[in-house]
């Protein structure tokens, strides 16, 4: 199950009103299966398209009366074709530029455009929390420690996203906001690797084991990961604003 769907299900289960943004809601089987659930409002929006986010914020305001308590930035661009390239062996410069452009549009500009579109509603909310999903692969210290050079556009755009979080925290420091980047851990949201990908997967696991020798390479379920993240989000305070933590609420990524 995709992570966003697990967030939606868990938040609905505890009685929250949930606005789920999706660029193709009609193609999301998970959302279609629950579209009639009480308190769920599905709105079409592309996080790389400011105009669609403006419309989504206007529609949200109609549902909520003009406010929003918590924003969760979850969407991500991750092109499997280039995951196992390093910066020095992309198939072509054109493909490198295209992959990095899409990664920055979705993974960096996406959360900025979304946050800005919903900021007027968040200012009227009671919690003023902006949560952005990040990854331990964006940690420069971890990357140096485990010496893993692949997964480039994803890690680099997510490292920039860490600074986005910090810039918002500083800009809105005296307005009661809590901005948090959080890594969900390794979560079972993707299709299992194909036999031809197993060599690369083993190389990544070996690198991770270098940083975390006691780690068992079994992904968490979305339910396990989202439960841990919601505990952290619920207990978040303004003093935490600008932090980037793992699902363990520290800098231990696995
Ligand atoms: N899974 C993990 O192990 C893991 C580990 C570390 C960090 N994370 C982070 O956790 C978050 C969730 O990752 P996930 O793997 O669980 O993915 P997911 O939530 O299952 O899927 C990502 C979603 O992003 C949406 N998206 C992509 N571009 C978009 C756009 N321009 N506008 C609107 N939506 C867009 C995709 O929509 P479509 O359905 O339309 O393609 C997809 O539903 C990500 O930020 C990721 O970096 C995940």
């Amino acid at each position: 199950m995709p992570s966003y769907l697990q967030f939606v299900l868990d938040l609905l289960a505890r009685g929250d009103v949930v606005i789920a943004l999706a660029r193709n809601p009609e193609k999301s089987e998970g959302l279609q299966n629950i579209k009639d659930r009480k308190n769920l409002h599905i709105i079409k929006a592309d996080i790389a398209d400011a105009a669609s986010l403006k419309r989504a914020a206007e529609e949200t305001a109609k549902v909520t009366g003009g406010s929003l308590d918590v924003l969760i930035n979850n969407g991500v661009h991750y092109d499997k074709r280039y995951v196992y390239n390093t910066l020095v062996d992309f198939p072509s410069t054109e493909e490198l530029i295209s992959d990095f452009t899409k990664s920055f549009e979705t993974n960096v500009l996406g959360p900025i455009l979304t946050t800005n579109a919903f900021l007027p509603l968040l200012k009227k909310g009671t919690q003023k929390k902006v949560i952005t999903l990040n990854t331990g692969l964006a940690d420069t210290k971890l990357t140096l420690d485990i010496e893993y050079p692949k997964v480039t556009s994803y890690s680099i755009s997510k490292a920039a996203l860490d600074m986005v979080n910090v810039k918002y925290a500083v800009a809105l420091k005296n307005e009661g906001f809590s901005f948090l980047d959080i890594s969900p851990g390794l979560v079972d949201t993707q299709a299992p690797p194909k036999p031809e990908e197993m060599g690369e997967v083993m190389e990544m696991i070996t690198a991770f084991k270098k940083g975390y020798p006691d780690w068992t390479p079994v992904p968490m379920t979305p339910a396990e990961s989202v439960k841990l993240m919601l505990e952290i989000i619920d207990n978040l305070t303004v003093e935490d604003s600008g932090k980037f933590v793992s699902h363990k609420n520290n800098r231990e990524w696995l």
Side-chain angles (χ1 to χ4, degrees):
M1 177 191 297
S3 285
Y4 73 84
L5 197 58
Q6 189 70 54
F7 269 117
V8 171
L9 290 173
D10 286 13
L11 293 170
L12 286 175
R14 66 192 209 181
D16 290 350
V17 174
V18 179
I19 315 288
L21 304 191
R23 57 182 168 177
N24 288 310
E26 59 294 337
K27 285 197 189 148
S28 164
E29 199 187 324
L31 281 181
Q32 289 305 318
N33 287 341
I34 59 168
K35 68 175 194 263
D36 296 324
R37 294 273 289 270
K38 188 171 168 261
N39 290 339
L40 174 62
H41 304 268
I42 301 170
I43 297 179
K44 190 176 169 76
D46 185 322
I47 60 168
D49 175 1
S52 82
L53 288 165
K54 185 170 178 283
R55 284 194 297 274
E58 286 164 1
E59 275 187 59
T60 301
K62 283 184 205 152
V63 171
T64 63
S67 67
L68 181 68
D69 289 334
V70 182
L71 171 66
I72 302 179
N73 288 308
N74 171 87
V76 66
H77 171 80
Y78 179 85
D79 192 331
K80 279 195 118 183
R81 282 175 300 174
Y82 309 118
V83 164
Y84 300 120
N85 288 113
T86 72
L87 288 174
V88 296
D89 62 12
F90 257 68
S92 70
T93 303
E94 290 70 25
E95 283 167 275
L96 183 148
I97 291 170
S98 166
D99 185 37
F100 271 72
T101 303
K102 286 205 185 84
S103 298
F104 272 78
E105 276 173 1
T106 308
N107 305 350
V108 185
L109 262 180
I112 296 174
L113 296 176
T114 310
T115 303
N116 284 355
F118 284 89
L119 206 51
L121 283 73
L122 286 159
K123 284 186 177 177
K124 291 186 189 144
T126 54
Q127 298 196 41
K128 299 184 175 60
K129 292 178 181 172
V130 178
I131 313 303
T132 302
L133 276 284
N134 207 316
T135 169
L137 288 169
D139 182 348
T140 52
K141 182 179 180 308
L142 176 76
T143 304
L144 274 172
D145 287 349
I146 68 175
E147 299 183 271
Y148 187 66
K150 300 181 179 178
V151 195
T152 56
S153 59
Y154 176 72
S155 308
I156 293 167
S157 58
K158 290 286 196 175
L161 189 56
D162 182 13
M163 184 58 87
V164 169
N165 184 52
V166 171
K167 290 287 186 190
Y168 272 118
V170 174
L172 295 167
K173 187 172 171 45
N174 298 317
E175 297 196 39
F177 273 87
S178 307
F179 285 88
L180 182 77
D181 265 19
I182 188 163
S183 167
L186 184 64
V187 189
D188 184 12
T189 54
Q190 309 284 324
K194 296 186 184 124
E196 63 270 25
E197 292 168 339
M198 280 317 288
E200 292 288 358
V201 171
M202 289 313 296
E203 190 183 316
M204 196 191 284
I205 289 174
T206 304
F208 285 161
K209 290 281 267 182
K210 213 167 158 185
Y212 298 94
D214 299 331
W215 173 63
T216 311
V218 178
M220 281 181 285
T221 64
E224 289 167 330
S225 167
V226 168
K227 183 171 184 284
L228 291 169
M229 288 193 285
L230 283 178
E231 271 170 29
I232 295 168
I233 295 167
D234 287 341
N235 292 310
L236 188 66
T237 68
V238 286
E239 281 76 37
D240 300 315
S241 195
K243 282 189 182 167
F244 173 17
V245 299
S246 72
H247 58 296
K248 297 179 176 178
N249 207 9
N250 56 27
R251 301 281 291 186
E252 202 180 313
W253 306 113
L254 287 170

